[in-house]
Each structure stands twice: as structure tokens, then as C-alpha cells.
Amino acid sequence: MKATFLQYNKPLLTAMVQEKTPGDAINTIMNSHYDGADAFGIQLECLERQYRDVETLRGIFNACMGKPIYITSYRHNQSDGMTDEECAEYLLMGIEAGATLGDVLGDWFHPEPYELTFDEEAVAKQKAVIDRIHALGGEVLISSHLHTHFTCDQLLEYARAQRERGADVVKMVNFAQTEEQLLENLRAAAMLKHELDCPYLLLANGAHSRLLRQIGPNLGVCMYLCVQRYGNNSKEQPILRSQKAVRDNMFFDKTSGLA
């Protein structure tokens, strides 16, 4: 069966890989297998530029042993200074090398504070990238990192706009600086389950962000984004082995996705 992020019995435990060299990336992948990863999220922008070619990426992806691979090609880290066109071509290289799901930023080609553009030319360019990913046999996620707190209605508006552009999976990273914002994010996670016709990933950053990341999939979110260990990466993402213990001791209704 072909690897996919679109069908699953339980929300996927996706181990994020944020390494600068192929060797370190493969080490993290192998350790994540032992800790129970169902899938991998390889952040290509973290890889130093001398390692950015199809054969090197294939070598990294081979270590995933057939499990689905989610890739990002964001503007920062080792990709700082690259144009959006260059970031998009790098993402397409990853799909060509065997990745499953490509992350298209919602404001590619026309940067916006809340990472979703409605500029017609930019949207047309995004759709062209999405078509190329689909033509290569890949799946598409569109993401928006909001950098502030959005309400349930605002999140739904973003999700529908992403879906209309051709996303197979929609993703929003909201903010939660207060308990009230945390509760609204939990309500949003449950609401999106009933309003969308595709898998969705709702996450949060901020002082009250961790609970959504830990239990969002019990409300309908399609996967957990975890790290195999803490290093210089974000401490908001749960540790893979700990989240696996939580996930594996939850009951999931296959028809609703809820615990």
C-alpha cells in the first residue's frame, strides 16, 4: 500500500526531523522508529545547502522505511534569503525524491503577516505548485502560521480558503497565550471536524499551547507532530515516546476520529 497521510486508523505519530546534515537526519529517523513513529516530518529548510540534491534526499527518505513523509521548505533557518520560488522548487525536489506530503505556505509569492495571501497572482502560482505536486503523485498540505490568536470563525475561513486552492490537508498554527485562548482552540479543533471534508492539522504556539498539541487528535486533528528528543528545537512539541503512550491508551472511534 502506498504511504499516505489521508487514511489512518489512529492519528499519526509524526516525528519531526530538524537536522543540518544527512547523517544527523538519518540518526534521528532511526531513533524515532524505535520510539514508535508512524510517519516523519522532515524540515528541509534545516538541511545545509550543500546537501540539497535529489540523491541525498532519497538517502534520507530511504531511512523512513516506507512510512509516509511530510516535508516543509520554509523561508527561515538554512533557507534564509531564498526566494519563495526557490523554496517551492526545493519542496518539489523533495516530492521527486519520494516524499509523500508537501507543505505549501499559504502566503508563498506574496508574504503576509498571518501567512495567507489572497493576491490573485500569488494564489495562481500556489495552485500551479499544487498541480505539480499532484502530478508527481504527492499529497498537498497548505499551512498558515498565524503569529497571533484567531477565533474559531477566522480559523474556519482560513481552512476553507486553503482547501479551495487544492489542499488535501489544511494546517493552521494558532496562538494560545491565555487559558481562554486555549479553550477556544480546543473548541475550534472539534468544530473543524464537522465543517471540513478533509484532514486538518490545528496546532498552537504560546504559553498555553501544549494541551492542544497533546489532545487535539482526540478532537479530530489528523496527527501529532512530535520530536524524538529536545535539543535546539521547540519545546512545545511533545516527545514522541511520551505521546505514543498517551495515544495508544486512548480509544478512537474510526467513524468520528474522537476518543
Side-chain angles (χ1 to χ4, degrees):
M1 179 178 175
K2 182 181 177 181
T4 181
F5 282 91
L6 306 183
Q7 297 177 5
Y8 45 87
N9 292 322
K10 291 184 177 182
L12 298 171
L13 291 159
T14 302
M16 302 305 292
V17 179
Q18 303 159 326
E19 304 291 354
K20 292 183 178 181
T21 69
D24 287 342
I26 290 169
N27 288 340
T28 297
I29 291 166
M30 296 307 297
N31 286 326
S32 298
H33 280 298
Y34 282 108
D35 285 346
D38 300 315
F40 294 91
I42 300 177
Q43 298 200 239
L44 298 181
E45 69 275 5
C46 297
L47 197 64
E48 293 178 351
R49 297 197 189 191
Q50 64 264 36
Y51 303 117
R52 298 183 178 189
D53 59 81
V54 170
E55 290 306 314
T56 298
L57 295 183
R58 282 178 179 153
I60 295 171
F61 297 166
N62 284 343
C64 298
M65 299 182 183
K67 294 178 180 178
I69 302 166
Y70 161 44
I71 56 171
T72 65
S73 178
Y74 295 154
R75 301 177 178 113
H76 59 269
N77 209 298
Q78 302 297 313
S79 291
D80 188 42
M82 289 174 56
T83 66
D84 287 353
E85 286 79 6
E86 290 170 330
C87 290
E89 289 300 323
Y90 185 29
L91 187 78
L92 287 159
M93 179 192 298
I95 298 295
E96 181 183 350
T100 311
L101 178 70
D103 187 325
V104 173
L105 275 176
D107 71 339
W108 260 355
F109 314 118
H110 195 277
E112 299 280 359
Y114 309 125
E115 287 195 3
L116 188 68
T117 182
F118 291 92
D119 177 82
E120 291 183 3
E121 182 178 353
V123 171
K125 288 182 178 180
Q126 289 178 17
K127 289 181 177 180
V129 172
I130 290 165
D131 288 344
R132 290 175 66 187
I133 293 172
H134 283 149
L136 289 167
E139 299 165 357
V140 175
L141 175 150
I142 297 181
S143 67
S144 298
H145 303 75
L146 306 174
H147 307 298
T148 189
H149 179 74
F150 272 34
T151 66
C152 289
D153 288 344
Q154 289 172 312
L155 291 168
L156 180 58
E157 179 184 357
Y158 260 46
R160 285 174 170 166
Q162 293 174 349
R163 179 64 167 156
E164 187 278 331
R165 292 177 199 185
D168 303 300
V169 182
V170 300
K171 174 185 173 184
M172 292 150 294
V173 183
N174 206 10
F175 228 68
Q177 286 293 77
T178 67
E179 289 185 1
E180 290 76 14
Q181 291 176 351
L182 164 64
L183 291 173
E184 184 155 31
N185 283 337
L186 295 176
R187 286 194 295 272
M191 175 268 294
L192 292 171
K193 172 72 184 177
H194 299 286
E195 296 292 337
L196 299 177
D197 64 349
C198 65
Y200 64 95
L201 185 54
L202 179 64
L203 306 170
N205 292 326
H208 291 267
S209 63
R210 292 180 64 87
L211 186 61
L212 177 64
R213 290 177 178 269
Q214 292 169 331
I215 71 167
N218 297 98
L219 301 171
V221 174
C222 65
M223 62 177 130
Y224 307 89
L225 299 190
C226 307
V227 290
Q228 196 272 329
R229 68 189 186 284
Y230 288 135
N232 294 325
N233 47 329
S234 168
K235 305 302 187 292
E236 293 169 328
Q237 293 174 322
I239 290 288
L240 172 60
R241 61 182 178 275
S242 299
Q243 196 61 53
K244 184 178 189 301
V246 173
R247 196 278 308 265
D248 288 353
N249 283 282
M250 291 285 188
F251 288 99
F252 286 89
D253 178 346
K254 292 181 182 179
T255 62
S256 71
L258 304 183

